[in-house]
Amino acid sequence: MKKTIGTAFAATFAGAVALGGFAASAADPVKIGFSESKTGLFAQAATSQYQSYNLWREQMNAAGGLDVAGTKRKVEFVSYDDQSNPGKAVQIYEKLITDDKVDLLLAPWGTSLHLAIAGVIERYKFPVVGNTAASVQLRKLKAGNIWFPTSLFPDRQSDVLAALLKDRGVNTAALVTNQLPYTQENKSFVVPALKKAGIELVVNEDYPPNVKDLTAVLTKVKNAKPDAVLAYTYPADAVLYMNGAREVGLNQRVQVVLLGPQYDFFDKIFGAARNGILTMGHWTPARKDWPSARTFADAFKARWKTDPDFVDAPLAYVSVEILQQAVAKAGLDKDKLRATIAGTTFATINGPVRFEGVMNVALPTMISQIQGGTQHIVWPPKERTAEAIAKPAWK
Amino acid sequence: MAEHSRFLALLAVAVAAFALVPRLGGDYAIGVALNLLMWIALTQSWVVLSAMTGYVSLGHAVFFGAGAYAMVLCFGSLPFWLSVIVAGAATGLLALLVGYPCLRVRGPYFVILTFGLAELVKFVVINVEAALGQFGRLLFGGPGLAQIFYVVLVLAAVSVIVTWFVRRSRFGAGLRAIRENEEAAETLGIDVARYKVLAFALSAIVPGMVGAAMVLRTTYFEPLDLFNPITSFTIVSIAIIGGGDDVPGPVYGALFLVLMQELLWANWPEVYMILLGGLLVAFVLGVPDGIHGRVAAWRKARG
């Protein structure tokens, strides 16, 4: 009898251990790695990407976990600071793949770092849904492990912008361009696009990425008296443009600032002075046909006590939405995941996403404008949430 | 003579041990070992000029970057190994060209000049790339990680051999005489100008070749990254931590810095830069003669 009890006890114990063991493996968290630009040139702009990632992770975990082909598993992040340095980002993704052995990867911030990691993820055949980047170069190379949900590809963006400028009655324009890859690529397409639209380029100047003052080049712009000013900036130098333009008195009614006005920090610095600035962007919570856009904006505000920006925060969230839906279908197997991402239409806060090659072909290219503290889509006409306005004079 | 053969035997053992890494270790281990070899090669080359003559270069990133750029220009038209050699020749030539005017100034002026030169070349390349309509170059389809590793291993071995033999040659004695007292060296009949320019060129060739190989590891060329002044600063840090003007210094320094960096970075990603900075300060204050100096003193004390 004693023996039976002992056996039964042992059996129960063993069973409990086995069950416990099984439960533990099913609930093993999914490890998701990425590099963050916590310091360096991109630090200010990269924050909202990180906030979107974390918002998503918390939402997943609150809902019991990420659905991995039918099994709910908690989400755990592994991330390192890349110091806004492409070389560092490459080492980090190498480490994430080969040493940390993460299950999934998220994208770093910006086109430079996306281009930099493209080689590593190609080498290890590790699919990554990009977000805050677009490059015609990668489209040409036919990369098979990275995709861009954005429609801000420099060639298309340039054509759309030229059409808008023409519509605003612009005949002459000045262009100042940061020497970083994304802005340079944009420049190389907008110059012929303007010419084709019959807009004369009266100033065309470059400046280095770590520029500290733009007054000299903006004075040159002022003297040329163009109808429109195109500042192809990154967020840090966009601040210099705004200050410089006000100082030298650039009062053009059409001013395009490529990257900067979308961000919350820009709003905090310039407030109402942002009004009327044209910028890139294809997302706004004002679009009624994307109901989850508003839900996302509210959740972001509730979590971070600040509004999401209009480019990176939504794009980062779109990229995890895509990954989430692909993983629910395909699990964590890299080949299945790649095929699923490449061949599925996803529902996101930025409308449907469907990839052909590296590009999202479901989303048209658009131009936005800051109006009354928010960002509206103003071009092309069938996509817009508001009419474009003339930029008020600086105060 | 016995000293030379002992050194060569030791070097052969070290190279053989490193050559096993790709066979035994995973990609991560190869990556760390590759980093280590890269810093050894760069710092050994720097020692030939700066530690031996006392002309401290704060611009060695220029050779690393120029070598990488040479590789970018050769990529796709020349085989990998040939491109590496072309890169070495190009940076050696660059050093010969700029060496003569640069080495006419001394002390802090030379330091600032080398730094300025590196920045100048960086912005020239940025502008050339912009004019060519290039926006960060992708170098897909290059050699694999192991192949790059073997090339950098050879370069590290070459740099060690160069430092060793220059240190023990008439040429090396001349360089050190320049460091101690340049006028006195000249009166002794040392062709000071020629020696300095030769040392400059010699210290530029291997970094150029290393840059050429390493840009294929990241498969991405952006001037801001390849001509990063941090590269120059790191070389000087390693030399200071390692100490001395001979082969062991850079090896100790690189081992310390690379392993420390890996350890801190992997375990305390949030604070690793702070910890690393603190460690460097502690080192400069507490161990001014470097690890090599300490090891030598310890050996002497033991007899």
Side-chain angles (χ1 to χ4, degrees), chain A residues 12-96:
Chain A
T12 314
F13 184 69
V17 169
L19 268 179
F22 179 72
S25 80
D28 259 358
V30 178
K31 273 210 294 191
I32 305 183
F34 57 95
S35 84
E36 265 177 88
S37 294
K38 271 194 173 174
T39 54
L41 211 52
F42 308 144
Q44 216 168 13
T47 319
S48 70
Q49 181 196 44
Y50 183 70
Q51 290 173 328
S52 278
Y53 285 171
N54 272 292
L55 173 66
W56 175 78
R57 178 177 58 85
E58 289 165 9
Q59 287 173 338
M60 285 296 105
N61 289 344
L66 172 67
D67 177 0
V68 181
T71 314
K72 290 252 182 176
R73 290 169 63 179
K74 295 272 184 198
V75 173
E76 189 183 289
F77 280 172
V78 186
S79 72
Y80 304 96
D81 178 16
D82 56 41
Q83 301 158 18
S84 310
N85 176 337
K88 195 86 202 166
V90 169
Q91 285 178 30
I92 290 172
Y93 279 81
E94 231 174 56
K95 178 174 159 61
L96 288 168

Side-chain angles (χ1 to χ4, degrees), chain A residues 38 83 85 87-88 92 94-95 98-99 112 115-116 119 123-124 137 141 179-181 184-185 188 208-209, chain B residues 27-28 35 123 126-127 130 135-136 138 140 216-220 222 224-225 228 261 265-266 269-270 272-273:
Chain A
K38 271 194 173 174
Q83 301 158 18
N85 176 337
K88 195 86 202 166
I92 290 172
E94 231 174 56
K95 178 174 159 61
T98 64
D99 186 45
S112 306
L115 287 175
R123 185 184 297 154
Y124 295 101
Q137 267 202 90
L141 277 172
Q179 282 171 327
L180 280 170
Q184 284 295 316
E185 205 173 306
S188 78
Chain B
D27 281 0
Y28 178 63
N35 250 351
F123 285 108
I126 286 179
N127 279 296
F135 344 96
L138 286 160
F140 277 20
L216 292 183
R217 184 205 183 194
T218 53
T219 66
Y220 178 64
E222 198 195 306
L224 276 185
D225 187 29
N228 195 339
Q261 217 168 346
W265 183 55
E270 309 291 322
Y272 109 90
M273 285 300 274

Side-chain angles (χ1 to χ4, degrees), chain A residues 283-298 321 348-352:
Chain A
W283 180 84
T284 168
R287 273 282 286 251
K288 298 281 180 292
D289 53 333
W290 304 330
S292 58
R294 175 58 65 192
T295 321
F296 163 73
D298 292 343
E321 283 186 296
T348 75
I349 58 165
N350 207 164

Side-chain angles (χ1 to χ4, degrees), chain B residues 100 171 174-175 178 182 185-198:
Chain B
Y100 192 69
F171 177 53
L175 295 180
I178 292 172
E182 196 163 334
E186 200 157 14
T187 51
L188 286 175
I190 294 172
D191 188 346
V192 172
R194 201 170 62 98
Y195 269 45
K196 288 191 296 188
V197 173
L198 269 181

